[in-house]
Amino acid sequence: MTKNKIKEVACKQLAESGYERATLSSIAKEVGIKTPSIYAFYKNKEDLFMAVYKDLLEDYYFYITNSVQNITDGTVKEKLYQIIKELCHYHLSQPEKTASYTKLAFVLPPTLNDDVRETFSEMEVVLSELLRDIFSKGIEQEVLKNQPVDDLIASFLCLMDGIFLELIYYQEAKFKRRVEQTWSIYWNGICKKLDE
Amino acid sequence: MTKNKIKEVACKQLAESGYERATLSSIAKEVGIKTPSIYAFYKNKEDLFMAVYKDLLEDYYFYITNSVQNITDGTVKEKLYQIIKELCHYHLSQPEKTASYTKLAFVLPPTLNDDVRETFSEMEVVLSELLRDIFSKGIEQEVLKNQPVDDLIASFLCLMDGIFLELIYYQEAKFKRRVEQTWSIYWNGICKKLDE
Amino acid sequence: MTKNKIKEVACKQLAESGYERATLSSIAKEVGIKTPSIYAFYKNKEDLFMAVYKDLLEDYYFYITNSVQNITDGTVKEKLYQIIKELCHYHLSQPEKTASYTKLAFVLPPTLNDDVRETFSEMEVVLSELLRDIFSKGIEQEVLKNQPVDDLIASFLCLMDGIFLELIYYQEAKFKRRVEQTWSIYWNGICKKLDE
Amino acid sequence: MTKNKIKEVACKQLAESGYERATLSSIAKEVGIKTPSIYAFYKNKEDLFMAVYKDLLEDYYFYITNSVQNITDGTVKEKLYQIIKELCHYHLSQPEKTASYTKLAFVLPPTLNDDVRETFSEMEVVLSELLRDIFSKGIEQEVLKNQPVDDLIASFLCLMDGIFLELIYYQEAKFKRRVEQTWSIYWNGICKKLDE
DNA sequence: AATGAATGAGCCTTCATTCAT
DNA sequence: TATGAATGAAGGCTCATTCAT
């Protein structure tokens, strides 16, 4: 379907070149159609990239929530580590989507800004709730130190952000070592040491 | 001096709108000159923004290294915390520079890319060396668990990256709480527990 | 067809004002379109003028070769004289094309230079072959002195060049007298004097 | 003297790139001054290039007339041949001036046009008179066929034009052979055949 | 005599968009 | 659904030129 191919190419070029340089004409050329044909499917350049963005978020959201929900029976540590793992895997396995996402998140045409921010924080809310469950249970089960769940959530989100940023800058090998180290330190920090 | 005013306005508009939307003509208008006058001082749009970028890096570099070197007599913990503090303070006190920096780091015209990446990693090397000193001493003094210094550096850089990213997204109050929490967890993770 | 009209106007303005002064915007104005519309048909200013130039050469080539081939039954003298005549007629009847041609041949944007020179010498090769036939037969039939055919070709091309240059500088009447005289002298020079 | 250096560089760049591309700023750069300094010596770009052109013509004029007057004692044939030789030598020994001259003669900014044409034809008048002397004597001495001197002049000028044009297009070696052949044919045409 | 600063005019080009077909 | 033609708006850039110093 042409409509989807346009969206995919738009996403790819967004990843490579950012919003401004991802020209409708260059997208059209790569799709193999003429520029005005895009307007048969999308009202606007903005419209097209909002669609791209919504897809990106949805895709990411399904991936992460699915991953988390599929490991209902692991320990708290396993679950959290799994989230990090899935975060890394998601971005490493489809770097184009991540690059695309990044461009949209950092440099936006002013008109798109509000819409994007909105879906962006919706996303975070969902993730926060998932984490809240895990952390609450962790404290209940006395696997984690007893501390405000909101803070735990915040610190975990911060960890994810840090990893996300590194993921953009470093090569895969270098990056993976860093993740392991950071995770281990993170875990040793929040867990309740029973046996020490 | 007009040359500097141009650079400042360029930086400001870069922060607000990104490279593509920071038009030479809009910069000129804000400076109060006509567009072609910019070419009396900068060869290019690229040239101008490379100057902006170099300034940004230099400024940041001096700030951080100065901060670190000025606290030679603190404990390891104090030193590291000071770095985080200074990182936050730097970005919070001049959000425009940070925004500018971010735009350049994430969405670049292809030609600038190489130059920027280069100065970027130079920066990291310098910071790494500063950290190496601190961590080495920390291990010597048995304040830190004995672990590979390179890993400690990597994990601290990751912490900084995470904080940096959050700093871009959250309001000051919300952000500060997160930093405290993350730092405390980080520290508890790497410090050697003597008394447990 | 707009594409052709653009080419024609470009040719006309080239004749009048040369490459640099034949502005895309002035061409567009004369065609009755807006400047960017030109880009729907030609990739470039260069591209447009290459098209103009190719047309010019092709047109000239067809005219001359046709003329020569149509007088298969004349004498050698008639044939050569016919070529001169046609040369004059071609340029006199469409001075604009000639002027255009001249501008391109003498003052070129550096990028066009190579392409133009190439098509230019292709042209000469073709004409040389036509002349070779005529001169060879002339010598065979003992109408011409026995002398290297290559030299005869060279001298005739030189004659054509001279006439071409004068044609640009003089008025028609003055010019025509000169041609007659030059031709007569040329012919008396190369023809075999029966009584020698 | 700076004024002269400007003129020389202007001439050189004119030869290389034509009037439009011979920018005041590029001239200034090659001279080693700043662009506005040119205005201390020349009112205008036009003014500068008119000076260049006048120099060019004067230089050429002195060269040719001197050459001709210096061979008062040769035969008519020798004199004419000498003119051709000097024409070739002049252009071959300083191709830059010739190129410059050509650019000005063929593609001119409209304002310069009239002035240039005028000095141009003044030049031709002088040369014509020199030739008139030679041809008249040639006829008197019965070395040349008895024919209208004006026609002889015209035909010789045409020969010179032809050679001039070839000189621009061909390499020196190729060019020299052509000149010899053309000259011989020319001479055999106008000379009185003793045996007729 | 020389120049730093500034500018009006203008050029080539690209882009998103429209509209008739 | 698709496109050829056209365009308004704008962008980066260059150039000749001026003027105060």
Side-chain angles (χ1 to χ4, degrees):
Chain A
M1 201 178 149
T2 311
K3 183 166 187 173
N4 278 335
K5 189 158 187 204
I6 292 172
K7 202 160 54 182
E8 280 158 27
V9 171
C11 180
K12 183 187 155 205
Q13 295 203 1
L14 175 63
E16 287 163 1
S17 339
Y19 184 82
E20 315 283 346
R21 306 182 104 81
T23 294
L24 289 193
S25 78
S26 82
I27 292 169
K29 180 176 284 175
E30 193 173 335
V31 173
I33 57 177
K34 303 297 173 183
T35 313
S37 304
I38 294 177
Y39 287 85
F41 304 98
Y42 301 93
K43 217 187 74 212
N44 251 343
K45 187 182 181 179
E46 250 174 69
D47 192 36
L48 166 58
F49 280 96
M50 263 321 281
V52 168
Y53 186 67
K54 291 248 159 88
D55 265 26
L56 240 32
L57 274 190
E58 203 170 290
D59 189 71
Y60 182 52
Y61 168 77
F62 277 129
Y63 183 86
I64 293 291
T65 52
N66 265 354
S67 312
V68 178
Q69 278 153 3
N70 287 345
I71 39 159
T72 39
D73 47 305
T75 65
V76 170
K77 184 177 182 182
E78 279 163 0
K79 280 182 186 168
L80 290 176
Y81 187 63
Q82 186 70 9
I83 293 177
I84 298 293
K85 274 287 176 215
E86 297 287 4
L87 172 72
C88 295
H89 178 258
Y90 180 82
H91 293 300
L92 287 173
S93 65
Q94 34 195 350
E96 188 177 285
K97 279 189 183 170
T98 302
S100 217
Y101 183 86
T102 310
K103 309 277 163 150
L104 277 177
F106 286 102
V107 191
L108 278 174
T111 12
L112 279 179
N113 232 313
D114 292 344
D115 278 326
V116 166
R117 299 264 167 198
E118 198 181 327
T119 48
F120 203 86
S121 54
E122 276 173 30
M123 214 13 242
E124 211 195 66
V125 170
V126 174
L127 192 56
S128 294
E129 289 321 301
L130 290 173
L131 290 173
R132 182 177 305 281
D133 273 2
I134 298 173
F135 285 123
S136 302
K137 273 183 200 142
I139 291 172
E140 247 173 55
Q141 297 162 7
E142 303 202 331
V143 180
L144 300 180
K145 290 182 200 164
N146 187 18
Q147 43 192 321
V149 177
D150 280 340
D151 291 1
L152 283 169
I153 292 170
S155 78
F156 193 82
L157 289 176
C158 177
L159 174 69
M160 287 177 79
D161 286 335
I163 290 170
F164 174 74
L165 193 64
E166 302 229 318
L167 192 147
I168 294 165
Y169 270 103
Y170 300 115
Q171 319 289 9
E172 188 160 344
K174 196 177 175 189
F175 162 72
K176 282 195 166 170
R177 224 182 53 234
R178 293 202 175 197
V179 169
E180 290 305 325
Q181 186 59 29
T182 307
W183 160 254
S184 122
I185 288 163
Y186 178 80
W187 176 253
N188 286 328
I190 62 170
C191 78
K192 187 178 185 181
K193 313 285 186 314
L194 292 174
D195 46 8
E196 283 176 48
Chain B
M1 203 175 147
T2 312
K3 181 166 187 174
N4 279 333
K5 192 160 185 201
I6 292 172
K7 202 160 54 183
E8 280 157 27
V9 172
C11 181
K12 186 187 153 204
Q13 296 204 2
L14 175 63
E16 287 163 0
S17 338
Y19 184 83
E20 316 281 346
R21 304 183 105 80
T23 292
L24 288 192
S25 78
S26 84
I27 292 169
K29 184 175 279 175
E30 192 172 335
V31 172
I33 57 176
K34 305 297 172 183
T35 313
S37 302
I38 294 177
Y39 288 86
F41 305 99
Y42 300 94
K43 220 185 71 219
N44 251 345
K45 186 181 182 180
E46 248 176 69
D47 190 36
L48 166 59
F49 280 97
M50 258 327 272
V52 168
Y53 184 67
K54 290 250 157 91
D55 266 25
L56 241 32
L57 273 193
E58 203 171 288
D59 191 70
Y60 181 52
Y61 167 77
F62 277 128
Y63 184 86
I64 292 291
T65 52
N66 266 355
S67 310
V68 177
Q69 278 152 3
N70 287 344
I71 41 156
T72 40
D73 47 306
T75 65
V76 169
K77 185 178 182 182
E78 278 162 2
K79 281 180 186 169
L80 291 175
Y81 186 60
Q82 186 69 7
I83 293 177
I84 299 292
K85 272 290 177 212
E86 297 287 6
L87 172 71
C88 296
H89 178 259
Y90 181 83
H91 293 300
L92 287 173
S93 64
Q94 33 196 354
E96 187 178 285
K97 280 188 183 170
T98 303
S100 222
Y101 184 87
T102 311
K103 309 277 165 151
L104 277 178
F106 286 102
V107 189
L108 276 175
T111 8
L112 278 180
N113 233 312
D114 292 344
D115 278 325
V116 167
R117 299 264 166 197
E118 198 181 328
T119 49
F120 205 85
S121 55
E122 278 173 27
M123 217 9 246
E124 213 196 64
V125 169
V126 174
L127 193 56
S128 295
E129 289 320 300
L130 292 173
L131 291 173
R132 181 178 306 280
D133 273 1
I134 298 173
F135 284 124
S136 302
K137 275 183 201 145
I139 292 172
E140 248 172 56
Q141 299 162 7
E142 304 204 331
V143 180
L144 300 179
K145 290 184 201 165
N146 187 17
Q147 43 193 318
V149 176
D150 280 340
D151 290 2
L152 282 169
I153 293 170
S155 78
F156 192 81
L157 289 175
C158 177
L159 173 69
M160 287 178 77
D161 285 335
I163 290 171
F164 175 75
L165 192 64
E166 302 229 316
L167 193 145
I168 294 165
Y169 270 104
Y170 301 115
Q171 320 288 8
E172 187 160 344
K174 196 176 178 188
F175 163 70
K176 282 197 166 168
R177 226 183 50 234
R178 294 203 174 195
V179 169
E180 291 304 328
Q181 187 59 31
T182 307
W183 161 254
S184 119
I185 287 162
Y186 178 79
W187 176 254
N188 286 327
I190 61 171
C191 79
K192 189 176 185 181
K193 312 286 188 314
L194 292 174
D195 46 12
E196 285 174 44
Chain C
M1 203 178 151
T2 311
K3 182 167 186 175
N4 280 333
K5 191 160 185 202
I6 292 172
K7 202 160 55 182
E8 280 158 26
V9 172
C11 181
K12 185 187 152 203
Q13 296 203 1
L14 175 63
E16 286 164 1
S17 337
Y19 184 84
E20 317 281 348
R21 307 183 102 81
T23 293
L24 288 192
S25 78
S26 83
I27 291 170
K29 183 174 281 177
E30 191 173 334
V31 172
I33 57 177
K34 305 297 173 185
T35 313
S37 303
I38 294 177
Y39 288 84
F41 305 100
Y42 300 95
K43 219 185 70 217
N44 252 345
K45 187 181 180 181
E46 248 175 70
D47 190 36
L48 166 58
F49 281 96
M50 257 328 270
V52 168
Y53 185 67
K54 290 251 158 88
D55 266 25
L56 241 32
L57 273 191
E58 204 171 287
D59 190 70
Y60 180 53
Y61 166 77
F62 277 128
Y63 183 86
I64 293 291
T65 52
N66 266 355
S67 310
V68 177
Q69 278 152 3
N70 287 346
I71 40 155
T72 39
D73 47 306
T75 65
V76 169
K77 183 178 182 180
E78 277 163 3
K79 281 179 185 169
L80 290 176
Y81 186 63
Q82 186 68 8
I83 292 175
I84 298 293
K85 273 287 176 214
E86 296 288 5
L87 171 72
C88 296
H89 177 258
Y90 180 82
H91 294 298
L92 287 173
S93 65
Q94 32 195 353
E96 187 178 284
K97 280 189 182 169
T98 302
S100 221
Y101 183 87
T102 310
K103 309 275 164 154
L104 277 177
F106 286 102
V107 190
L108 276 175
T111 8
L112 279 179
N113 232 314
D114 291 346
D115 277 326
V116 165
R117 299 264 166 195
E118 197 181 328
T119 49
F120 204 85
S121 56
E122 278 173 25
M123 221 2 251
E124 211 196 67
V125 169
V126 174
L127 191 58
S128 294
E129 290 319 301
L130 290 173
L131 291 173
R132 184 178 304 281
D133 272 0
I134 297 174
F135 285 123
S136 301
K137 272 184 202 146
I139 291 171
E140 244 174 58
Q141 298 162 7
E142 305 204 330
V143 180
L144 300 179
K145 291 183 201 166
N146 188 16
Q147 43 191 317
V149 176
D150 280 340
D151 291 1
L152 283 169
I153 292 170
S155 78
F156 192 82
L157 289 175
C158 177
L159 174 70
M160 287 178 78
D161 285 336
I163 289 170
F164 174 74
L165 192 64
E166 302 229 317
L167 192 147
I168 294 165
Y169 271 102
Y170 301 115
Q171 319 289 8
E172 188 161 344
K174 195 178 176 187
F175 162 71
K176 281 197 167 171
R177 225 181 52 233
R178 293 202 175 196
V179 170
E180 291 304 327
Q181 186 61 29
T182 307
W183 160 254
S184 120
I185 288 162
Y186 178 80
W187 175 254
N188 287 326
I190 60 170
C191 78
K192 188 176 183 183
K193 310 286 187 313
L194 294 176
D195 46 12
E196 285 176 49
Chain D
M1 201 176 147
T2 312
K3 183 165 187 175
N4 278 334
K5 190 158 187 203
I6 294 172
K7 203 161 53 181
E8 279 158 28
V9 171
C11 180
K12 185 187 154 204
Q13 296 203 0
L14 175 64
E16 287 164 0
S17 338
Y19 185 82
E20 315 283 346
R21 305 182 106 81
T23 294
L24 288 192
S25 79
S26 82
I27 291 170
K29 181 177 282 175
E30 192 173 334
V31 172
I33 57 178
K34 304 295 173 184
T35 313
S37 304
I38 295 177
Y39 288 84
F41 303 100
Y42 300 94
K43 218 186 73 212
N44 251 344
K45 187 181 181 182
E46 250 174 69
D47 192 36
L48 166 59
F49 279 97
M50 262 321 280
V52 168
Y53 186 65
K54 290 249 159 89
D55 266 25
L56 239 34
L57 274 190
E58 203 171 288
D59 190 72
Y60 182 52
Y61 167 77
F62 277 128
Y63 184 85
I64 293 291
T65 51
N66 266 355
S67 311
V68 177
Q69 278 152 4
N70 286 345
I71 40 158
T72 38
D73 46 304
T75 66
V76 170
K77 184 177 183 181
E78 278 161 3
K79 282 180 185 170
L80 291 176
Y81 186 62
Q82 186 69 7
I83 293 177
I84 298 293
K85 272 288 175 212
E86 297 287 2
L87 172 72
C88 296
H89 178 258
Y90 181 82
H91 293 300
L92 287 174
S93 64
Q94 34 195 350
E96 187 179 284
K97 280 189 182 170
T98 301
S100 217
Y101 183 87
T102 310
K103 308 276 162 149
L104 277 178
F106 285 103
V107 189
L108 278 175
T111 12
L112 278 179
N113 232 312
D114 293 344
D115 278 327
V116 166
R117 298 265 167 197
E118 198 182 325
T119 48
F120 204 85
S121 54
E122 276 172 28
M123 209 21 237
E124 210 194 67
V125 169
V126 174
L127 191 57
S128 293
E129 289 320 303
L130 288 173
L131 290 173
R132 182 177 306 281
D133 273 1
I134 297 173
F135 284 125
S136 301
K137 273 183 202 147
I139 292 173
E140 245 173 57
Q141 296 163 6
E142 303 203 331
V143 181
L144 300 178
K145 289 183 201 168
N146 187 18
Q147 42 192 321
V149 176
D150 279 341
D151 290 2
L152 282 169
I153 293 169
S155 79
F156 193 81
L157 289 176
C158 176
L159 174 69
M160 287 176 78
D161 285 336
I163 289 169
F164 174 74
L165 192 64
E166 301 229 316
L167 193 147
I168 295 165
Y169 270 103
Y170 300 114
Q171 321 286 12
E172 187 161 344
K174 197 178 175 188
F175 162 70
K176 282 197 165 169
R177 223 181 55 234
R178 292 202 176 198
V179 170
E180 291 305 325
Q181 187 61 30
T182 308
W183 160 254
S184 120
I185 288 163
Y186 178 79
W187 176 254
N188 287 328
I190 61 169
C191 78
K192 187 175 182 184
K193 307 291 186 316
L194 294 175
D195 47 11
E196 281 175 40

